[in-house]
């Protein structure tokens, strides 16, 4: 998606479960429009049962990387991702700046993640509502944006208790400000809460950060759409002048429950 491009669609019918791991939902279930994962309870359990995030595949032979991700002042998280995926996980989360911290086997990476949470108080999850709240108030220079995770990176490498099989990696900040289109981004006033049958979302694309699209509607209002809310719906095109006719909430009122980042690896 390119900034300045018109975007518009209308939702039709009901939101159906997308199934799990490439399989169609056996129940043909209808799911809530407000959740970011369009899966019924049964499919969600099946998908989770094979997830690295659930620690159910400890014998995964792939190399993993530990990273520090920065979303704005005071918002830093630690996480792990399969090395073969490169920076895809960081782009998916909308990380404004990130740096690799170490690489090695899955369980060594997981132990290091736990170490940073316990010793430095770095969380492994940050609600998307908090990311959105600071996205338009970022420091102007790349050096300023990298400063916080630079300090935490140094503190992390100095900790005792690192797994011997995890190779430490030097600090190298990767800044996604330009890639996301965040420079000069105007504040949003609301966020889409859910799609609804016959409801439209249309406007001009200003920025894309992780799953979030920042749109300017025909009346000049800035609205954020979490694209995960679109899965499971039948969508048809809508003109850019049709605006937003689905339920929205003030940006500061978006609840974290249901918008916390998923454990995708």
């Amino acid at each position: 998606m390119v900034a300045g491009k018109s975007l518009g669609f209308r939702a039709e019918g009901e939101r159906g479960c997308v199934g799990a791991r490439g399989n169609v939902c056996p129940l043909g279930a209808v799911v809530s429009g407000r959740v970011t994962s369009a899966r019924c309870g049964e499919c969600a359990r099946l998908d989770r049962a094979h997830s690295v995030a659930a620690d159910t595949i400890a014998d995964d032979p792939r190399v993993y990387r530990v990273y520090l991700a920065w979303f704005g002042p005071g918002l830093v998280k630690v996480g792990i991702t399969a090395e073969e995926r490169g920076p895809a996980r960081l782009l998916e989360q909308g990380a404004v700046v990130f740096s690799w911290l170490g690489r090695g086997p899955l369980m060594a990476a997981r132990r290091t993640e736990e170490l940073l949470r316990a010793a430095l108080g770095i969380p492994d999850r940050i609600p998307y509502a908090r990311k959105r709240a600071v996205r338009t108030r970022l420091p102007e220079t790349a050096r300023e944006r990298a400063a916080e995770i630079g300090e935490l990176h140094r503190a992390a490498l100095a900790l005792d208790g690192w797994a011997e099989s995890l190779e430490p990696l030097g600090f190298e900040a990767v800044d996604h400000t330009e890639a996301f289109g965040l420079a000069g981004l105007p504040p949003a006033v609301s966020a889409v809460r859910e799609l609804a049958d016959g409801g439209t979302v249309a406007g001009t694309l200003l920025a894309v950060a992780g799953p979030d699209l920042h749109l300017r509607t025909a009346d000049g209002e800035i609205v954020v759409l979490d694209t995960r809310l679109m899965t499971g719906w039948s969508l048809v095109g809508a003109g850019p002048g049709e605006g937003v006719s689905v339920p929205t909430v003030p940006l500061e009122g978006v609840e974290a429950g249901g918008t916390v980042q998923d454990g995708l690896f």
Side-chain angles (χ1 to χ4, degrees):
M1 296 186 183
V2 181
K5 181 179 179 180
S6 294
L7 174 73
F9 64 84
R10 178 181 294 103
E12 294 186 338
E14 295 180 309
R15 190 185 192 196
C17 174
V18 297
R21 310 194 70 77
N23 298 305
V24 175
C25 174
L27 305 176
V30 173
V31 296
S32 169
R34 297 189 182 189
V35 297
T36 54
S37 177
R39 289 189 175 92
C40 67
E42 189 63 31
C43 288
R45 282 191 288 274
L46 176 60
D47 192 67
R48 185 74 175 172
H50 298 275
S51 168
V52 171
D55 284 335
T56 57
I57 49 176
D59 58 347
D60 189 330
R62 294 177 295 175
V63 175
Y64 278 79
R65 288 201 174 206
V66 184
Y67 62 80
L68 291 173
W70 183 88
F71 302 92
L75 296 183
V76 179
K77 64 154 284 187
V78 59
I80 68 173
T81 185
E83 185 172 70
E84 64 194 34
R85 296 202 66 209
R89 177 64 180 141
L90 287 305
L91 292 165
E92 291 169 355
Q93 295 180 66
V96 180
V97 182
F98 82 91
S99 177
W100 302 119
L101 185 63
R103 64 185 299 274
L106 171 60
M107 296 315 293
R110 182 66 82 197
R111 285 196 296 273
T112 303
E113 185 184 40
E114 295 281 355
L115 174 65
L116 266 64
R117 285 207 300 264
L120 299 178
I122 304 175
D124 64 343
R125 290 177 180 248
I126 295 176
Y128 274 103
R130 296 187 66 195
K131 298 177 187 179
R132 296 175 188 130
V134 301
R135 200 171 280 153
T136 58
R137 302 198 302 269
L138 302 176
E140 291 187 4
T141 70
R143 182 175 181 178
E144 291 175 299
R145 292 190 293 269
E148 191 170 357
I149 62 167
E151 293 177 4
L152 288 171
H153 191 283
R154 287 189 290 273
L157 290 184
L159 290 173
D160 293 327
W162 272 58
E164 292 184 3
S165 55
L166 195 81
E167 173 192 352
L169 297 174
F171 180 68
E172 185 175 349
V174 178
D175 194 310
H176 291 145
T177 302
E178 183 176 348
F180 291 159
L182 301 181
L185 181 66
V189 298
S190 62
V192 171
R193 184 178 67 185
E194 60 182 314
L195 302 187
D197 182 26
T200 60
V201 176
T204 300
L205 188 63
L206 300 180
V208 181
D212 288 346
L213 307 184
H214 290 247
L215 300 168
R216 189 192 301 276
T217 64
D219 61 6
E221 185 173 284
I222 311 298
V223 179
V224 179
L225 168 66
D226 185 333
T227 53
R228 295 173 300 172
L229 296 174
M230 297 167 62
T231 58
W233 284 99
S234 175
L235 303 174
V236 297
E242 296 189 46
V244 176
S245 63
V246 296
T248 61
V249 291
L251 188 60
E252 64 274 16
V254 178
E255 296 180 359
T259 59
V260 177
Q261 60 211 27
D262 296 324
L264 302 176
F265 296 91

